[in-house]
Amino acid sequence: MVPREILIQLGKNERRVAIIENGRIEDFHIEVDSCQSLLGNIYKGRVESILPSINAAFVNIGEEKNGFLYLTDAVSPFVEEDISTPRRLLNKILGRRGSVKVNKGIRSKNKENPDGQNIPLTVGQEILVQVVKDPFGDKGARLTTHITLPGRFIVYMPLDKHTGVSKKIEDVEERQRLREIAKSFSFATAGGFIIRTVAQKKGKRELTREAKFLYKRWQQICKNSEKANAPALIGADGDLTWKIVRDYLTEKVDKLIIDSEEEYVRIQKYVENLIGKQMVSKIHYYKGRLPLFDAKNVSDELKKIYDTHVYCKSGAYIVIERTEGLTVVDVNSGKFKPKASPEDAAFMVNMEVIPEIARQLRLRDLGGIIVIDFIDMAKAEHNRRVFEALQRALSKDRAKTEVYRISPLGLVEMTRARTGKAIESIYFNECPYCKGRGRVRAVN
């Protein structure tokens, strides 16, 4: 089994997490107070404007910029079937009165809505929304009304009656067992549950305990919403430390090491109450004089994730350049001089850099459109094997990716889900001299 550790280093204004496999950084996360993530937060917002031409509404959630809500994401799941209980709940939360009615939206022709299409919102309406993508550049946060409360083993959907099991659990009997457990959560008078992959082989007691925790959290959010005036934050998703413990501390992890005694105690209590006493022994408090990342030889390697050039052992390297619309990864043979034909040499270089490309995408948290320029290969078999190797390397990524086959020009087009800011944009600002070109004028 490959040694695996989670290192959590807390500074005055930031929290950094490195996930180490076999002595090598495989994933990195950072949270800075000046650039706090809104991802997962739940707000009571107010619709400020509706633009049918772009199928969107702008919602005031109390942040600097209004959130962006697609109208297709504004049709709440509880409108479709058996809406009475969730609808009454929502009416109570938002302070509405009267009988249960399905909002048919507006269908009037005007300057902004020339086609008279059905719009499920009205300006000034108060709605509950959740952030699914952090603000980026000049854009506000991306929002949805399909609220979810993720736990370690379970995701609770308070406004959706659907109950299901992760598709990654393939065993038919295990899927049925977990589905029956989810159906037994009778304490939840509304909503549905999704059983996560990590819940495999977990007992009913553990799953029920977490389901009750999530349900109680939703009840508290409802109480917060009743008291709050829009726009207002009514449910924060938790800090980086909490998310890492929830999502990454599994049986495959040997140790979780943290350098804050206060957080160490807090994590122990959380793990004991919601994950299980058997996992508490994996949590360790670091008392060394050197910073944790320095003691574990992590700091020097982290500095490299901001470089444009990344070198491999053979001398081959990749160049990573971000533009406003996409990220380009260029593969180069560099000092790699094998005793092989040009075709075989190109194949060898491409295969070597693939794990590093996938790793750098995770470490830098790059998202959006990504174009990889592999060294050209003439053989269809080589192209197929390189593409399959890339798919395998990307399968470790928690972010959703979609990859298209190698083009005749040797290019791979792919997308990686972006939910927050890239690591580089948190630490660096655009140069005032070159305006982001990366060059300073030598001759005036």
Side-chain angles (χ1 to χ4, degrees):
M1 185 176 176
V2 177
R4 186 178 174 91
E5 291 183 338
I6 299 175
L7 309 180
I8 304 178
Q9 179 173 293
L10 277 66
K12 184 178 180 181
N13 299 307
E14 69 176 24
R15 290 151 293 281
R16 298 195 295 168
V17 178
I19 297 174
I20 313 298
E21 284 188 12
N22 206 20
R24 181 180 171 88
I25 303 175
E26 288 298 327
D27 215 337
F28 177 64
H29 303 267
I30 185 169
E31 185 176 70
V32 181
D33 290 346
S34 60
C35 191
Q36 196 77 23
S37 174
L38 308 180
L39 192 64
N41 287 355
I42 299 171
Y43 294 85
K44 185 178 183 178
R46 183 187 302 111
V47 179
E48 294 291 333
S49 60
I50 299 172
L51 299 178
S53 58
I54 60 172
N55 192 36
F58 290 92
V59 181
N60 183 358
I61 58 174
E63 296 294 327
E64 183 180 351
K65 296 185 176 100
N66 289 337
F68 181 88
L69 174 67
Y70 279 114
L71 295 180
T72 51
D73 279 346
V75 181
S76 296
F78 52 78
V79 170
E80 297 173 5
E81 293 181 303
D82 300 323
I83 65 166
S84 58
T85 300
R87 173 59 71 179
R88 290 193 186 100
L89 174 62
L90 194 72
N91 285 344
K92 183 179 179 182
I93 292 172
L94 300 179
R96 298 173 184 160
R97 297 179 180 178
S99 60
V100 178
K101 294 181 180 179
V102 178
N103 179 15
K104 295 296 184 180
I106 58 174
R107 189 190 290 272
S108 59
K109 292 186 179 181
N110 54 44
K111 190 175 181 179
E112 291 186 343
N113 188 22
D115 299 326
Q117 68 186 73
N118 188 35
I119 299 174
L121 299 174
T122 56
V123 174
Q125 180 179 349
E126 293 183 354
I127 57 173
L128 293 186
V129 291
Q130 186 171 37
V131 176
V132 293
K133 185 179 291 186
D134 272 327
F136 181 77
D138 295 330
K139 299 177 181 178
R142 167 84 179 278
L143 309 174
T144 184
T145 60
H146 296 253
I147 293 171
T148 59
L149 300 180
R152 179 178 175 80
F153 306 119
I154 295 171
V155 177
Y156 177 46
M157 302 174 293
L159 305 176
D160 190 342
K161 291 195 65 175
H162 175 72
T163 294
V165 178
S166 169
K167 293 180 180 179
K168 293 183 180 179
I169 300 177
E170 298 179 351
D171 184 86
V172 177
E173 292 184 1
E174 178 66 2
R175 289 180 63 85
Q176 184 60 32
R177 183 186 75 87
L178 293 172
R179 196 180 298 275
E180 291 299 322
I181 292 175
K183 289 179 180 179
S184 71
F185 298 155
S186 56
F187 52 84
T189 56
F193 295 88
I194 297 293
I195 307 297
R196 302 180 72 175
T197 308
V198 73
Q200 288 187 84
K201 299 181 181 179
K202 296 299 177 182
K204 181 177 180 179
R205 183 179 177 183
E206 291 176 279
L207 301 183
T208 303
R209 178 174 55 187
E210 182 170 87
K212 287 182 177 179
F213 170 77
L214 295 174
Y215 182 64
K216 288 179 181 178
R217 186 180 168 214
W218 170 244
Q219 289 178 312
Q220 184 59 52
I221 289 171
C222 293
K223 291 178 182 178
N224 294 343
S225 183
E226 289 178 37
K227 299 175 184 177
N229 295 320
L233 171 65
I234 59 172
D237 190 38
D239 59 20
L240 178 61
T241 304
W242 186 84
K243 293 175 183 176
I244 290 296
V245 172
R246 180 190 69 193
D247 296 336
Y248 289 89
L249 184 59
T250 66
E251 286 77 8
K252 295 180 180 179
V253 173
D254 297 298
K255 292 181 181 179
L256 183 150
I257 306 173
I258 187 166
D259 64 356
S260 165
E261 186 173 5
E262 182 181 347
E263 285 295 293
Y264 166 71
V265 173
R266 186 172 76 98
I267 289 174
Q268 279 191 317
K269 290 180 179 178
Y270 168 75
V271 171
E272 184 175 352
N273 292 331
L274 293 176
I275 298 179
K277 294 182 180 180
Q278 75 281 2
M279 299 294 285
V280 175
S281 61
K282 295 179 180 286
I283 304 167
H284 299 265
Y285 171 47
Y286 174 73
K287 302 178 182 179
R289 292 183 178 180
L290 285 174
L292 175 59
F293 279 18
D294 291 344
K296 290 289 186 176
N297 299 317
V298 170
S299 296
D300 289 340
E301 190 170 355
L302 283 177
K303 292 176 183 177
K304 299 177 183 178
I305 69 174
Y306 306 112
D307 296 340
T308 55
H309 290 62
V310 180
Y311 292 87
C312 298
K313 290 181 180 180
S314 69
Y317 66 94
I318 58 176
V319 182
I320 303 174
E321 293 280 0
R322 291 181 65 225
T323 71
E324 187 173 347
L326 54 84
T327 298
V328 178
V329 181
D330 185 31
V331 179
N332 296 275
S333 58
K335 297 179 181 179
F336 181 62
K337 305 294 182 185
K339 294 180 180 180
S341 65
E343 169 70 19
D344 290 339
F347 173 68
M348 292 166 68
V349 170
N350 289 338
M351 290 294 285
E352 184 192 21
V353 300
I354 283 173
E356 190 61 39
I357 291 173
R359 177 172 171 263
Q360 290 296 324
L361 295 183
R362 294 194 305 273
L363 291 179
R364 301 171 189 235
D365 199 15
L366 297 174
I369 300 172
I370 299 167
V371 176
I372 305 172
D373 184 7
F374 284 107
I375 299 175
D376 291 346
M377 299 173 293
K379 293 183 178 180
E381 175 65 14
H382 283 169
N383 280 278
R384 182 186 63 80
R385 290 174 64 183
V386 166
F387 176 75
E388 291 175 350
L390 180 61
Q391 285 185 311
R392 287 194 299 272
L394 292 173
S395 66
K396 297 175 63 176
D397 201 331
R398 284 177 171 265
K400 184 179 179 181
T401 59
E402 188 169 352
V403 190
Y404 297 90
R405 292 193 175 276
I406 300 176
S407 74
L409 296 177
L411 302 177
V412 168
E413 299 172 16
M414 63 168 287
T415 60
R416 183 175 185 271
R418 175 192 285 139
T419 56
K421 293 185 178 181
I423 299 295
E424 182 182 0
S425 65
I426 294 176
Y427 272 122
F428 294 92
N429 293 322
E430 183 181 276
C431 173
Y433 298 99
C434 73
K435 302 299 181 184
R437 288 194 298 271
R439 293 178 176 83
V440 177
R441 198 183 190 101
V443 180
N444 292 325

